[in-house]
């Protein structure tokens, strides 16, 4: 089947997987990504990567993804491996059991939430507050009874106060896609984000998480599977969403970005500094929602899988599962090193590898480098910087940006070595 799909025209094929609402076609940037036979990971190649009992040759799969992304027909299942939901060294049977356990766990969390707010799981969602700040129900006519009773538990109140905000964001998410014309599909996204906010009480919900979660809902039919895929993505990104009165979580990555540009392009850094852009806040959105606004929907998915393949570490799954037998990322043997993505391999060899120097930060640096001449020539203030970077929407090439990021990374490491 993979081969037949590959031979269809790329644009028609993507249109079949992610149809755009007719009234939105004029406003949506045309995707640059097209599945390419011999480069893109096809369904046939993917299935051939498994041994008889289910071990996956992840090194081969990563090489293929880094060359040409993943075919839309198998994106969801491939992402589960890239994000560390499953260990490539596990068997089909072990993964089936794990999937079952996770689905049950999700059902339990969802039932807890449903108990408090019956609209969860009803294929509908809310966009108006349902309780007051002190936990008393707000009686409204839509969706009948929304809250079972008054609440005094601080965690429950805090969570319920988020639910309408999640609903407002869900209503705005990927509106150009036919998929979200269905309220049941929007409700699925709302349910997952609501359950996540209940489960991760520390971070809760922050605007932007909807943009990260939406593709998982589209790619994975089973709601629990989509939840776990999102949960794994949030393991990498959750610190970006940590907001306190004094700082935003993404600030740490912005500081690293500033450090990288200062090292690899001191002239550009000085220019941005002179324009009061030294804190790099103009790159906030890029890092917060992983370039969702800079790329079309299809190209953003392509970019993500390239990034995750390049950042891949074979220990990611056991690290997330909290297995005590986990070797540290920097103590990989030769075989495991081969199972790392290009970026991660370099980090392991040079002893780099914290979250702050994630691939996304080098990607943001490579976007700035691409715009280097325009920024130096035309930017006279912060608004100009924002305008110049805003012009990239829909015109960036994901693969070029990733190769640019690898080059910036290499240059940065060699300059750090010299200093």
């Amino acid at each position: 089947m993979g081969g037949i799909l590959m031979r269809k025209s790329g644009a028609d094929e993507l249109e079949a997987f992610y149809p755009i609402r007719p009234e939105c076609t004029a406003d949506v940037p045309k995707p640059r990504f097209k599945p390419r036979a011999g480069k893109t990971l096809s369904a046939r190649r993917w299935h051939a990567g498994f041994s008889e009992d289910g071990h996956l040759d992840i090194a081969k799969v990563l090489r293929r993804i880094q060359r040409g992304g993943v075919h839309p027909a198998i994106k969801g299942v491939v992402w589960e491996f890239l994000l560390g939901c499953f260990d490539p060294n596990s068997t089909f049977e072990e993964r089936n059991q794990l999937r079952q356990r996770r689905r049950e766990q999700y059902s339990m969390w969802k039932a807890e939430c449903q108990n408090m707010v019956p609209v969860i799981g009803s294929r509908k969602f809310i966009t108006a507050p349902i309780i007051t700040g002190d936990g008393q129900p707000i009686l409204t006519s839509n969706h009948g009874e929304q809250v079972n009773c008054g609440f005094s538990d601080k965690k429950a109140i805090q969570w319920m106060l988020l639910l309408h905000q999640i609903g407002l964001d869900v209503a705005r998410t990927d509106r150009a896609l036919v998929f979200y014309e269905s309220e049941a599909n929007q409700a699925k996204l709302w349910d997952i984000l609501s359950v996540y906010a209940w489960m991760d009480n520390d971070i809760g919900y922050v605007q932007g998480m909807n943009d990260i979660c939406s593709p998982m809902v589209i790619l994975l039919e089973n709601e629990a599977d989509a939840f776990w895929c999102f949960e794994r993505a949030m393991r990498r990104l959750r610190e970006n969403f940590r907001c306190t009165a004094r700082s935003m979580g993404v600030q740490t990555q912005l500081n690293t970005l500033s450090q990288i540009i200062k090292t690899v392009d001191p002239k550009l850094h000085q220019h941005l500094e002179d324009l009061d852009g030294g804190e790099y806040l103009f790159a906030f959105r890029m890092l917060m929602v992983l370039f969702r606004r800079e790329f079309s929907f299809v190209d953003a998915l392509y970019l993500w899988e390239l990034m995750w393949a390049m950042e891949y570490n074979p220990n990611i799954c056991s690290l997330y599962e909290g297995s005590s037998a986990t070797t540290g990322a920097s103590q990989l043997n030769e075989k495991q090193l081969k199972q790392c993505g290009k970026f991660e391999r370099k980090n392991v060899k040079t002893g780099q590898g914290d979250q702050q120097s994630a691939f996304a930060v080098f990607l943001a640096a490579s976007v700035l480098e691409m715009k280097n001449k325009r920024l130096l020539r035309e930017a006279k203030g912060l608004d100009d910087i924002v305008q110049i970077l805003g012009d990239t929407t829909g015109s960036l090439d994901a693969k070029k940006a990733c190769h640019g990021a690898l080059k910036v990374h290499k240059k940065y490491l060699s300059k750090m070595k010299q200093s």
Side-chain angles (χ1 to χ4, degrees):
M1 181 182 127
I4 299 165
L5 282 169
M6 283 291 201
R7 283 196 288 273
K8 283 181 67 182
S9 121
D12 294 350
E13 193 183 328
L14 291 169
E15 176 57 30
F17 279 99
Y18 319 111
I20 304 286
R21 293 159 65 167
E23 69 274 23
C24 300
T25 45
D27 307 325
V28 173
K30 289 276 171 279
R32 288 163 168 257
F33 169 73
K34 293 190 177 41
R36 292 167 67 191
K39 292 215 164 133
T40 302
L41 179 67
S42 66
R44 187 179 62 77
R45 285 268 177 174
W46 170 247
H47 296 307
F50 290 94
S51 70
E52 208 174 313
D53 62 351
H55 293 98
L56 176 64
D57 184 345
I58 191 75
K60 205 180 265 183
V61 163
L62 291 177
R63 278 200 300 276
R64 180 60 64 135
I65 297 171
Q66 288 168 140
R67 283 231 308 274
V70 180
H71 191 275
I74 50 167
K75 267 188 204 294
V77 287
V78 177
W79 280 22
E80 288 182 305
F81 280 88
L82 289 180
L83 287 167
C85 293
F86 297 118
D87 188 332
N89 297 315
S90 59
T91 63
F92 289 128
E93 185 49 39
E94 286 165 343
R95 289 197 290 277
N96 284 339
Q97 287 173 5
L98 184 55
R99 193 184 284 283
Q100 205 38 54
R101 279 206 305 279
R102 286 191 182 139
R103 286 178 178 179
E104 284 161 16
Q105 175 65 77
Y106 177 71
S107 291
M108 278 165 58
W109 282 330
K110 191 173 175 181
E112 273 178 46
C113 296
Q114 218 167 7
N115 233 349
M116 296 180 282
V117 180
V119 71
I120 284 176
S122 70
R123 295 166 70 86
K124 296 194 176 303
F125 66 103
I126 55 159
T127 53
I130 51 172
I131 59 162
T132 59
D134 59 359
Q136 293 314 303
I138 295 173
L139 297 173
T140 56
S141 56
N142 63 336
H143 302 329
E145 196 185 354
Q146 292 177 334
V147 182
N148 276 340
C149 57
F151 283 85
S152 56
D153 175 47
K154 194 168 167 236
K155 178 187 172 185
I157 292 172
Q158 202 181 342
W159 172 71
M160 276 186 242
L161 290 169
L162 287 172
L163 295 180
H164 76 285
Q165 187 53 59
I166 299 176
L168 288 168
D169 288 347
V170 161
R172 291 189 285 257
T173 306
D174 291 325
R175 293 302 295 135
L177 298 176
V178 169
F179 182 85
Y180 284 120
E181 281 185 317
S182 143
E183 190 183 2
N185 286 340
Q186 289 183 305
K188 194 170 160 185
L189 175 60
W190 184 71
D191 284 351
I192 290 174
L193 291 167
S194 303
V195 174
Y196 182 84
W198 174 248
M199 185 275 300
D200 186 350
N201 186 38
D202 191 26
I203 301 286
Y205 171 80
V206 179
Q207 196 171 34
M209 288 184 186
N210 51 313
D211 291 311
I212 305 296
C213 188
S214 168
M216 280 90 177
V217 174
I218 293 169
L219 296 178
L220 291 155
E221 207 173 320
N222 182 286
E223 188 181 309
D225 297 348
F227 169 86
W228 285 106
C229 206
F230 171 64
E231 192 272 344
R232 288 303 192 246
M234 283 300 293
R235 296 272 185 137
R236 299 160 182 247
L237 296 167
R238 69 193 288 278
E239 290 309 311
N240 283 357
F241 290 99
R242 186 185 292 284
C243 298
T244 64
R246 291 209 315 278
S247 75
M248 307 164 300
V250 83
Q251 190 72 57
T252 324
Q253 286 196 342
L254 293 174
N255 295 344
T256 308
L257 176 61
S258 162
Q259 183 58 47
I260 291 167
I261 296 293
K262 190 178 181 178
T263 308
V264 301
D265 195 341
K267 192 177 171 189
L268 178 60
H269 177 75
Q270 191 53 56
H271 182 58
L272 296 172
E273 191 110 272
D274 295 343
L275 300 178
D276 274 347
E279 289 192 344
Y280 287 70
L281 285 172
F282 48 81
F284 174 87
R285 197 180 67 180
M286 286 184 198
L287 293 171
M288 191 78 161
V289 293
L290 280 189
F291 303 87
R292 275 293 311 265
R293 300 284 185 279
E294 282 66 37
F295 291 85
S296 68
F297 180 79
V298 169
D299 290 338
L301 305 198
Y302 175 44
L303 177 78
W304 287 5
E305 61 211 18
L306 285 179
M307 284 170 61
W308 295 333
M310 288 181 181
E311 281 184 316
Y312 188 81
N313 183 302
N315 283 335
I316 178 177
C317 190
S318 42
L319 199 68
Y320 289 164
E321 290 298 310
S323 150
S324 54
T326 308
T327 13
S330 55
Q331 305 163 306
L332 300 176
N333 60 37
E334 205 48 48
K335 184 186 174 214
Q336 289 171 314
L337 205 54
K338 285 197 177 91
Q339 296 175 334
C340 287
K342 284 180 192 173
F343 176 79
E344 179 65 4
R345 201 175 307 142
K346 193 94 174 168
N347 273 340
V348 170
K349 284 179 175 172
T350 54
Q352 304 282 321
D354 56 60
Q355 273 299 107
Q356 273 58 63
S357 54
F359 191 65
V361 186
F362 288 93
L363 203 55
S366 98
V367 170
L368 288 172
E369 285 294 273
M370 283 180 205
K371 297 282 173 183
N372 163 307
K373 289 189 173 69
R374 268 193 77 189
L375 287 166
L376 289 172
R377 193 176 59 237
E378 296 170 29
K380 305 283 187 276
L382 272 180
D383 289 350
D384 296 335
I385 300 172
V386 173
Q387 163 86 44
I388 291 165
L389 292 176
D391 288 349
T392 58
T393 304
S395 65
L396 277 178
D397 182 303
K399 197 163 188 186
K400 267 194 194 136
C402 283
H403 283 308
L406 289 173
K407 276 188 193 149
V408 172
H409 184 229
K410 193 176 175 181
K411 190 173 175 184
Y412 177 68
L413 289 178
S414 80
K415 294 245 181 187
M416 292 301 280
K417 215 173 179 179
Q418 291 161 19
S419 62

